[in-house]
Amino acid sequence: MNFIYTFVALILVSVLQAQRCDVIHGEVEQVDRQISTFSQSRHGNISIPVIFHIVYRNSDQNISDAQILAQLDILNSIYDPASIPNNTSIPEEFRNAIDIPKIHFCLAQEDPDGNYSNGIIRKQTTINNIGCRKQGAIYYIMSENLGGSEIWNPSHYLNIFIGEREDCPLAEAIFPDLATNKTDGVVIN
């Protein structure tokens, strides 16, 4: 259960920080362009393709597709308009004032080259704690050359990396003002 709350909190912080920073810097057009790169579903929702990078040392760390799909369902249920009025974790006085974000997360169906994808990449590694930053700020998990999985273009995909993180916090997201095309993602234990 902590995994779910950590995952949701990191995504929300990343999204909110991105909106706040872009608007503060007067780059509203950039935000509009980024949003338009994600597909609009038939219900007017923004569909965000997610790529899960599972980087594991042993079979216990190689989580199943069913676990990934269950977490994606939980994430989408948080953004489901039907669930908000009944969500008792939101104070009642705020439930009716909440605007529906109209966001839907789905597994990426195409890779950056246009080939079919199931939205899940699995890479075996020999690196201990691959999900922890190394040498200060280097994310080995986000680089195939360093034993991880290569990040997909963050302007088109939400990259979620799952790997061993025993010597660091259970999860972290890269703040948009610090993110690059090589480090923009969420890293989870």
Side-chain angles (χ1 to χ4, degrees), residues 64-113:
S64 70
D65 289 1
Q67 288 174 291
I68 293 168
L69 293 173
Q71 295 305 312
L72 198 59
D73 285 344
I74 291 168
L75 180 62
N76 279 316
S77 74
I78 293 166
Y79 289 93
D80 182 0
S83 70
I84 291 176
N86 301 321
N87 187 340
T88 57
S89 68
I90 301 170
E92 189 173 343
E93 58 269 18
F94 295 116
R95 273 187 247 154
N96 295 331
I98 292 176
D99 194 13
I100 306 303
K102 298 181 182 175
I103 296 172
H104 176 76
F105 297 91
C106 57
L107 290 174
Q109 296 181 7
E110 276 187 8
D111 71 9
D113 296 323

Side-chain angles (χ1 to χ4, degrees), residues 14 17-18 21-22 25 133 136-137 139 142 151 154 172-185:
S14 182
Q17 179 72 14
C21 288
D22 286 337
H25 295 296
R133 284 183 271 176
Y139 291 92
M142 295 182 183
I151 193 168
E172 67 182 302
I174 294 33
F175 285 109
D177 56 334
L178 301 175
T180 69
N181 282 342
K182 298 292 183 186
T183 63
D184 192 356

Side-chain angles (χ1 to χ4, degrees), residues 101-163:
K102 298 181 182 175
I103 296 172
H104 176 76
F105 297 91
C106 57
L107 290 174
Q109 296 181 7
E110 276 187 8
D111 71 9
D113 296 323
N115 301 313
Y116 169 78
S117 171
N118 68 355
I120 303 168
I121 295 175
R122 297 177 185 282
K123 297 278 183 173
Q124 191 159 18
T125 189
T126 59
I127 310 288
N128 287 335
N129 291 314
I130 186 79
C132 296
R133 284 183 271 176
K134 309 288 187 196
Q135 301 169 5
I138 299 173
Y139 291 92
Y140 281 33
I141 198 167
M142 295 182 183
S143 172
E144 197 164 0
N145 292 337
L146 299 174
S149 177
E150 204 61 39
I151 193 168
W152 289 14
N153 184 340
S155 295
H156 300 282
Y157 303 94
L158 171 59
N159 288 270
I160 299 175
F161 294 85
I162 301 173

